[in-house]
């Protein structure tokens, strides 16, 4: 009898005389006799011409395939979808972005389980690829390694002098739109930014959602050391893919599965690392969803509790100076993880996909060059940008179920202003670009939640327009939608309950006073209790923004943002 130790799933599909039809189908796609005796490893990629984030993933899948086959497995390639936030941002198409996370997870789970793969290499580029892959990996619980497609290189104007170079990315283009509306850029200058901001393959360049999630997955232990801090183009990323293919075979031999790695302590490591890096608000949404799929108990309050002891150390965009490619040059995230470990802020006994623990993996990692003489990207603990987390979990009469603020302190820690209410992102963007929003305003964008959208769009266009008009320190923006990792300013999203589900953000009127306190972690509508109660009693929520198709199905099953906007919580 054939040894099926390393083929617990594929053996069921291809072993025995009764499985001749399955073998016949596989012979047509290139299987030889010897391949039926090898572990089958799925290579889940999402290559496409849709976005620079994914345009190179087909080549990376070829390298992962090589790694699997050379290590004694049989790689089988398949693709999943992607959508581009940067292209759909500010349109109704953006409603499908967060929805795509679940489509990706469902599709990978479906293929791997249906075809009987024994393990998986999942390769992701754009924002939702990463949590989508990780949700599927957690559900399947078969040996797996995640590979990040890599960060993009900065864009540069061809006429920039060497000493005056101003590295650009997609957020530069969004903010240029606001500057153009203000009259600071001509049509020709706006086009110059548009042409040169994005030079080629790779995910958006700052510590935006893609780089945040790549860092989180490495800190979780689910990608190989250094995978999160590599540029998209180059030999290190190709080698990363080959090593990932071989690593899955090692995991099979050792019997190590994703849920052995993704423990509660591993999630705490991911949170700690990404808060120190200045990660995106989407970190909270996605880690909650991945934890749900691993049956790990994680809540928004865990981010609050951990955040009170984690300083912000990285001077990275959107609120900082540098791109991820700059961090790559000084060693990536691993020296910072070693700093955190040495201070007792990471759990060193957590397992990784190498088979080593975090402590073993970081043992020989060298520190960053000295600050600030040789590098000024990662600060020492005694000189943080902020002593506690920039991601604030806020509650109050505007968000009894919680909200997430992205507040670094550069724009202050307290804001009290006058509400300017917009029913949806498009209306808000028009108002901001037109000049309706002025210093002291709190822009309220509602009916953009998981149900109300549906899909919880990111508000990068409005926040960038505010920045472009020079109001970044003088205007706050709150929403039951969410923010791009590229947003910066005094921003509060994920307001729960959302307006479409009867949340109090739905009763705010233009002219109301709103108070946001990032020290007390509160967000309140400043009206008396009797008025508040009367408005809530009279409020008639709009309900789901769509009743049919994938958006309708999503709205009918999605949980709140405070629960990670998962779609299987109540099944």
């Amino acid at each position: 009898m054939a040894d099926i130790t390393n083929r617990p799933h594929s053996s069921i599909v291809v072993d025995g005389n009764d499985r001749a039809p399955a073998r016949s189908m596989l012979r047509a796609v290139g299987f030889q006799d010897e391949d039926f005796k090898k572990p089958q490893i799925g290579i889940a990629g999402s290559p496409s011409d849709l976005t620079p984030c994914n345009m190179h993933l087909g080549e990376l899948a070829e390298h992962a395939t090589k790694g699997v086959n050379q290590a004694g497995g049989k790689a089988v390639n398949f693709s999943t979808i992607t959508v581009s936030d940067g292209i759909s941002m500010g349109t109704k198409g953006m409603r499908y972005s967060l929805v795509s996370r679940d489509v990706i997870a469902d599709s990978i789970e479906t293929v791997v389980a249906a075809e009987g793969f024994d393990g998986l290499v999942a390769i992701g580029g754009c924002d939702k690829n990463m949590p989508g892959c990780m949700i599927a990996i957690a559900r399947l619980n078969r040996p797996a390694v995640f590979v990040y497609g890599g960060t993009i290189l900065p864009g540069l104007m061809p006429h920039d002098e060497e000493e005056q170079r101003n590295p650009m990315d997609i957020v530069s283009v969004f903010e240029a739109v606001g500057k153009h509306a203000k009259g600071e850029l001509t049509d020709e200058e706006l086009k110059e930014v548009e042409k040169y901001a994005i030079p080629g393959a790779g995910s958006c360049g700052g510590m935006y959602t893609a780089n945040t999630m790549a860092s989180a997955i490495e800190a979780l232990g689910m990608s190989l050391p250094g995978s999160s801090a590599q540029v998209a183009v180059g030999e290190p990323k190709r080698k990363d893919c080959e090593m990932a293919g071989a690593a899955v075979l090692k995991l099979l031999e050792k019997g190590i599965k994703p849920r052995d790695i993704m423990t509660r302590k591993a999630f705490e490591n991911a949170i700690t690392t990404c808060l120190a890096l200045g990660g995106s608000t989407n970190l909270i949404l996605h880690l909650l969803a991945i934890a749900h799929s691993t049956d790990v108990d994680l809540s928004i309050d865990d981010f609050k509790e951990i955040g009170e002891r984690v300083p912000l150390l990285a001077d990275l965009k959107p609120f900082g100076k540098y791109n991820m490619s700059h961090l790559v040059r000084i060693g990536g995230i691993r020296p910072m993880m070693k700093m955190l470990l040495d201070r007792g802020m990471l759990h060193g006994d957590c397992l990784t996909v190498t088979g080593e623990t975090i402590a073993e993996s970081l043992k020989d990692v060298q520190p960053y060059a000295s600050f600030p003489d040789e590098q000024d990207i990662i600060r020492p603990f005694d000189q943080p940008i902020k002593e506690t987390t920039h991601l604030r979990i806020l509650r109050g009469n505007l968000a009894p179920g919680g909200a997430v603020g992205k507040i670094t302190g550069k724009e202050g820690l307290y804001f009290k202003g006058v509400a300017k209410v917009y029913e949806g992102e498009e209306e808000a963007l028009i108002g901001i670009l037109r000049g309706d929003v002025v210093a002291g305003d709190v822009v309220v964008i509602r009916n953009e939640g998981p149900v109300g959208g549906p899909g919880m769009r990111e508000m990068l266009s409005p926040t960038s327009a505010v920045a472009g008009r020079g109001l970044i320190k003088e205007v706050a923006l709150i929403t039951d939608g969410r923010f791009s990792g590229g947003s910066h300013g005094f921003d509060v999203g994920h307001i729960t309950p959302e307006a479409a589900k009867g949340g109090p953000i739905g009763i705010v009127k233009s002219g109301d006073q709103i108070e946001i306190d990032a020290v007390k972690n509160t967000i309140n509508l400043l009206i008396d209790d009797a008025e508040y109660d009367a408005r809530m009693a009279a409020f008639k929520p709009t309900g789901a923004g769509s009743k049919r198709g994938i958006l309708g199905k999503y709205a009918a099953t999605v949980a709140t943002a405070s629960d990670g906007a998962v779609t299987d919580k109540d099944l």
Side-chain angles (χ1 to χ4, degrees):
M1 182 179 290
D3 181 14
I4 62 169
T5 305
N6 289 350
R7 299 191 300 120
H9 301 285
S10 63
S11 61
I12 298 169
V13 175
V14 300
D15 287 6
N17 291 336
D18 62 321
R19 301 310 303 161
R23 293 193 297 274
S24 182
M25 295 284 282
L26 289 168
R27 289 181 190 279
V29 299
F31 272 61
Q32 304 296 317
D33 284 347
E34 61 271 19
D35 294 326
F36 296 115
K37 301 173 185 177
K38 299 174 182 176
Q40 291 185 32
I41 309 300
I43 310 293
S46 49
S48 75
D49 295 335
L50 285 168
T51 169
C53 311
N54 291 54
M55 61 189 283
H56 62 304
L57 297 193
E59 180 198 353
L60 296 187
E62 292 175 7
H63 288 279
T65 296
K66 177 181 176 182
V68 168
N69 291 341
Q70 288 185 342
K74 176 59 178 174
V76 184
N77 277 262
F78 67 97
S79 294
T80 183
I81 68 157
T82 193
V83 298
S84 172
D85 294 1
I87 296 171
S88 63
M89 195 76 71
T91 74
K92 292 293 185 185
M94 188 62 191
R95 296 182 299 173
Y96 292 87
S97 171
L98 186 57
V99 176
S100 77
R101 181 189 75 179
D102 290 75
V103 175
I104 292 164
D106 292 349
S107 66
I108 293 175
E109 177 192 355
T110 298
V111 173
V112 172
E115 301 303 307
F117 296 149
D118 302 301
L120 176 68
V121 176
I123 307 171
C126 204
D127 293 11
K128 309 313 169 299
N129 301 169
M130 283 166 271
C133 288
M134 291 305 301
I135 290 167
I137 285 170
R139 291 176 186 169
L140 290 159
N141 200 33
R142 302 180 189 189
V145 175
F146 176 80
V147 176
Y148 177 40
T151 190
I152 197 170
L153 291 169
L156 296 167
M157 291 289 192
H159 49 72
D160 278 355
E161 299 293 334
E162 181 70 31
E163 67 276 7
Q164 295 177 326
R165 289 194 166 189
N166 179 31
M168 299 183 295
D169 57 25
I170 184 62
V171 176
S172 307
V173 190
F174 278 98
E175 294 187 357
V177 172
K179 292 178 181 178
H180 178 266
K182 191 180 179 184
E184 291 184 2
L185 291 180
T186 65
D187 291 354
E188 292 74 19
E189 288 170 329
L190 176 60
K191 189 171 183 179
E192 282 268 291
V193 176
E194 173 192 326
K195 285 172 64 178
Y196 295 109
I198 303 172
S203 298
C204 298
M207 189 49 65
Y208 310 148
T209 303
N211 284 315
T212 297
M213 290 310 302
S215 301
I217 294 167
E218 181 173 338
L220 265 175
M222 286 302 300
S223 60
L224 294 178
S227 182
S228 69
Q230 293 169 334
V231 296
V233 291
E235 191 58 28
K237 181 49 67 181
R238 299 186 188 104
K239 189 66 175 176
D240 182 37
C241 294
E242 292 178 18
M243 292 171 62
V248 176
L249 274 298
K250 289 290 186 184
L251 291 170
L252 265 170
E253 289 176 14
K254 295 179 179 181
I256 298 174
K257 298 179 180 179
R259 294 193 187 193
D260 299 324
I261 298 170
M262 289 192 283
T263 62
R264 163 70 192 215
K265 291 197 292 186
F267 279 95
E268 291 178 2
N269 284 348
I271 294 168
T272 298
T273 300
C274 291
L275 294 185
L277 285 168
S280 163
T281 53
N282 285 315
L283 172 75
I284 297 175
L285 196 71
H286 296 325
L287 282 187
L288 289 172
I290 298 166
H292 170 74
S293 295
T294 59
D295 292 324
V296 167
D297 185 17
L298 193 71
S299 76
I300 58 172
D301 293 317
D302 292 311
F303 290 83
K304 177 180 179 181
E305 189 270 328
I306 293 170
E308 290 307 310
R309 58 178 185 265
V310 179
L312 175 57
L313 301 177
D315 190 17
L316 296 169
K317 291 185 176 183
F319 48 77
K321 181 179 179 181
Y322 292 105
N323 284 331
M324 189 68 172
S325 58
H326 298 109
L327 182 60
V328 171
R329 292 176 195 167
I330 67 166
I333 73 168
R334 295 183 65 71
M336 197 189 73
M337 289 179 65
K338 183 69 159 55
M339 290 167 59
L340 294 166
L341 178 69
D342 289 346
R343 292 181 73 91
M345 300 177 74
L346 294 185
H347 301 287
D349 58 343
C350 288
L351 198 59
T352 75
V353 290
T354 65
E356 296 180 313
T357 65
I358 286 285
E360 290 168 340
S361 174
L362 294 172
K363 178 169 58 71
D364 297 324
V365 171
Q366 297 302 302
Y368 294 117
S370 64
F371 175 92
D373 301 328
E374 298 176 85
Q375 65 85 22
D376 60 349
I377 301 174
I378 303 294
R379 296 188 176 209
F381 279 92
D382 60 354
Q383 298 178 60
I385 295 170
K386 189 172 184 288
E387 292 184 355
T388 58
T389 179
H390 62 298
L391 297 184
R392 313 304 296 183
I393 305 300
L394 310 174
R395 283 189 169 85
N397 69 4
L398 255 180
V404 178
K406 188 176 186 180
I407 303 168
T408 67
K410 290 186 176 183
E411 301 82 21
L413 297 172
Y414 177 88
F415 197 99
K416 181 179 177 182
V418 179
K420 195 151 282 180
V421 179
Y422 296 100
E423 304 292 345
E425 180 184 8
E426 288 86 354
E427 184 182 318
L429 182 61
I430 290 168
I432 295 166
L433 293 177
R434 190 169 53 208
D436 297 350
V437 173
V438 298
D441 281 347
V442 178
V443 178
V444 180
I445 307 177
R446 62 191 180 199
N447 289 307
E448 290 287 4
V451 173
M456 206 179 177
R457 288 192 289 180
E458 294 178 344
M459 300 294 123
L460 181 57
S461 293
T463 58
S464 297
V466 167
R469 293 191 69 88
L471 295 169
I472 197 71
K473 295 184 178 181
E474 297 167 309
V475 166
L477 193 151
I478 71 172
T479 180
D480 51 8
R482 60 195 175 96
F483 293 108
S484 163
S487 291
H488 62 113
F490 212 99
D491 304 328
V492 180
H494 304 205
I495 288 179
T496 305
E498 60 177 292
K501 297 287 284 184
I505 189 174
I507 67 169
V508 180
K509 297 179 180 179
S510 289
D512 286 342
Q513 290 275 320
I514 291 175
E515 179 188 61
I516 306 164
D517 191 323
V519 177
K520 295 180 180 177
N521 297 319
T522 56
I523 178 168
N524 286 299
L525 175 62
L526 301 181
I527 58 176
D528 63 50
D529 291 345
E531 174 67 13
Y532 182 94
D533 292 342
R535 289 192 195 180
M536 287 297 293
F539 178 39
K540 292 182 171 56
T542 58
S546 185
K547 306 289 186 182
R548 292 288 183 270
I550 191 168
L551 293 180
K553 288 187 285 185
Y554 185 83
T557 57
V558 69
T560 71
S562 291
D563 289 323
V566 297
T567 53
D568 58 356
K569 180 176 184 290
D570 298 318
L571 299 183

